[in-house]
Amino acid sequence: MHPVSRRAKLFVVLACAAITVLYAWQSWNARRSDLDNARIASGNMAKALAQHANDTFQGIDGLLLNVVDRATMLGIGSPLVTEMAPLLRRLSEEMPALDGLLVSDETGRWIVNSSGDAHPQGNNSDRAYFIYHRDHDEPSVLIGAVLRSRSTNHWVIPVSRRINHRDGSFAGIALATIELDYFTRFYRTFDVGLNGAIGLLLRNGTLLTRQPFDEQLINRDFSDSLLFRQLLPAAPNGVHTYKSRIDGVRRMLSYQALDKYPLVAMVALSEDDALDDWHREIMVYSLGVLLLLFIIATFGRHLIGQIELRMKAERKAVAAKNELQELNRTLEMLAHQDGLTGLANRRHFDDTLAKEYRRAARGGGPLSLVLIDVDFFKQYNDIYGHQAGDECLRRVGKMLKEMERRPGDLAVRYGGEEMLLLLPNTDETGAAQMAERIRAGIQALNIVHSANPAGVVTVSAGYNSILPDRQHVPPIEELVGQADAALYRSCAISARSAGAKQRANWRRSSP
């Protein structure tokens, strides 16, 4: 992928990622804000419920104190106590929370009640609140667990106080029963969502009532719950997120303990209910963000595609240009290279010779040339064939190519079986040494040649060296011509000395 396309793609990805991250951050903050608001609302609701419970029980407790004082003053066995029925009825009617009021003696027998009906068999001696007051002389109010009223058959919360004789011994109890439905009706006025809950519990963990109301949960013991094990001992009020033991719903629990009475009001709002509006907003906003991301991605993809097409066209143009340049270099190389041996051809040699000649003339350095010819090459072709002759020339040319030791040296196929090595900045002695190395190197190839007296392919060599300068510049033809003459003489000597295998078949040009 082209860097421009890569950068464009990175920009589109980063833009989409930035939008996604910002939207996720905003959504998370909105969620947290909704939960915080729900915690505040549930906390305020718990305080309101606690205040309601406190006012209710405080009013009833005051009423009980009045009844206890009258019964104590009159004496529990006085006939005047039984005449308190109208008073109890009036007090009961003034308190909407009350289900009934009654006074019982030390045996639990009902002496007087707010209904005014006679209950000769009425006795509360088996009730837990009666047993507690009988066995404890504390004058404090007692709020008991929920029970069924024996007079009305309603679910009620008993609130009772002990009545003593003048000597302080147990004389009986004054009992007020609060109709459980009174709290249930009140709790229904609060919107706690589909999965929310409101509860009123005793400090010992007994559940008195709950909204939504469930009769099976009445008097259930929650003393081992987190609220009573950790939260209440640490603080009388607070907010905590928990998973309900009753229905498994995750809720935010706000609780408030009453200061004067052993009661705890609690509100538990479901997180799902608290986030209901947030969920709806998220659905709408998410669709909008997804649509925006889709538009950006589609536009970005189209843009990147256009960039890729343009870059692809540019790459093709560059590739075509490179291919053309490579083709031109190849053609230029072929134009300056011999196809058989891979050496420079005659055209390349002529161009290079002219350049080196001018350079030597400017610098005053020598310019030498070694010209070789394969001995008895016609006979080699006749004996071994032209393909073998071509291979022989290739091997000779390869060896000659290896003699290019400096950048300016140039091995050339001059024509037919003639080859030469151009040696800039080389004097006559150096040219002679190079001629001998070439001759010896080719003979060392051990190319079998039965028509050659040496038994292997050999070459004859001629060399020449000139020293051009600005005042006296010998003609360029002199370099090649005299080397060719020297080669001719070397070949003639080679023909006359066909039997001498150890001779040096090279000659320098005449001075």
Side-chain angles (χ1 to χ4, degrees), residues 17-276:
I19 293 173
T20 302
V21 170
L22 288 174
Y23 172 67
W25 176 78
Q26 183 181 15
S27 299
W28 179 257
N29 282 341
R31 181 183 186 274
R32 186 172 58 185
S33 178
D34 285 356
L35 290 177
D36 289 342
N37 292 336
R39 290 188 184 96
I40 295 173
S42 65
N44 292 335
M45 197 181 302
K47 292 177 182 178
L49 294 175
Q51 186 62 49
H52 171 263
N54 183 78
D55 294 344
T56 300
F57 283 94
Q58 188 171 9
I60 292 175
D61 188 25
L63 186 152
L64 282 177
L65 281 173
N66 187 14
V67 173
V68 169
D69 289 342
R70 283 177 178 270
T72 302
M73 181 182 65
L74 296 174
I76 198 70
S78 172
L80 295 177
V81 174
T82 59
E83 295 178 3
M84 292 173 56
L87 173 64
L88 296 184
R89 184 167 54 253
R90 187 178 70 251
L91 293 175
S92 179
E93 291 172 353
E94 291 175 355
M95 299 285 292
L98 278 177
D99 183 68
L101 278 169
L102 67 84
V103 176
S104 63
D105 62 15
E106 66 271 19
T107 64
R109 182 176 60 87
W110 294 2
I111 298 175
V112 63
N113 63 77
S114 59
S115 67
D117 298 331
H119 293 278
Q121 304 299 322
N123 193 294
N124 290 338
S125 60
D126 60 337
R127 294 293 197 185
Y129 55 82
F130 182 88
I131 296 172
Y132 178 85
H133 288 303
R134 184 191 66 193
D135 297 340
H136 298 80
D137 58 1
E138 291 90 349
S140 58
V141 66
L142 176 66
I143 301 175
V146 177
L147 48 82
R148 283 280 188 183
S149 172
R150 286 172 175 167
S151 59
T152 64
N153 200 37
H154 296 158
W155 286 110
V156 294
I157 301 174
V159 182
S160 58
R161 278 185 174 273
R162 174 181 169 126
I163 302 175
N164 292 331
H165 290 296
R166 292 183 185 277
D167 62 359
S169 61
F170 179 64
I173 66 166
L175 174 68
T177 55
I178 302 175
E179 191 173 359
L180 194 63
D181 192 49
Y182 168 76
F183 289 102
T184 304
R185 290 193 306 270
F186 178 69
Y187 292 164
R188 288 197 193 105
T189 63
F190 291 88
D191 182 11
V192 291
L194 295 176
N195 298 299
I198 295 174
L200 183 65
L201 303 96
L202 293 174
R203 284 298 296 262
N204 63 9
T206 302
L207 178 66
L208 299 179
T209 186
R210 178 183 184 271
Q211 175 61 33
F213 181 76
D214 187 349
E215 191 173 296
Q216 295 181 355
L217 297 178
I218 292 177
N219 292 333
R220 181 167 176 177
D221 184 10
F222 288 91
S223 59
D224 62 341
S225 66
L226 180 66
L227 174 62
F228 291 92
R229 284 189 296 105
Q230 297 182 16
L231 300 181
L232 273 174
N237 56 71
V239 180
H240 182 76
T241 301
Y242 78 108
K243 188 174 183 179
S244 173
R245 295 169 52 182
I246 298 175
D247 53 18
V249 175
R250 187 172 179 82
R251 293 184 173 91
M252 294 173 290
L253 170 66
S254 296
Y255 65 94
Q256 178 69 53
L258 277 65
D259 295 331
K260 189 175 180 180
Y261 301 100
L263 295 168
V264 180
M266 53 81 66
V267 177
L269 298 182
S270 167
E271 284 192 352
D272 289 338
D273 290 341
L275 296 174
D276 190 48

Side-chain angles (χ1 to χ4, degrees), residues 2 19 155 262 319 338 371 382 435 490 502 510:
H2 195 274
I19 293 173
W155 286 110
D338 176 60
L371 186 63
D382 292 341
S490 176
Q502 302 301 323
S510 299

Side-chain angles (χ1 to χ4, degrees), residues 390-433:
D390 290 344
E391 179 60 26
C392 175
L393 292 179
R394 276 193 289 270
R395 293 184 64 183
V396 171
K398 180 180 179 182
M399 197 285 304
L400 187 64
K401 184 74 174 177
E402 293 172 356
M403 296 298 173
E404 293 181 344
R405 305 294 174 84
R406 300 170 303 173
D409 296 347
L410 182 66
V412 181
R413 184 182 182 190
Y414 195 63
E417 65 272 20
E418 288 186 337
M419 304 178 192
L420 61 84
L421 183 63
L422 182 63
L423 301 168
N425 201 27
T426 302
D427 58 13
E428 181 177 339
T429 302
Q433 293 173 353

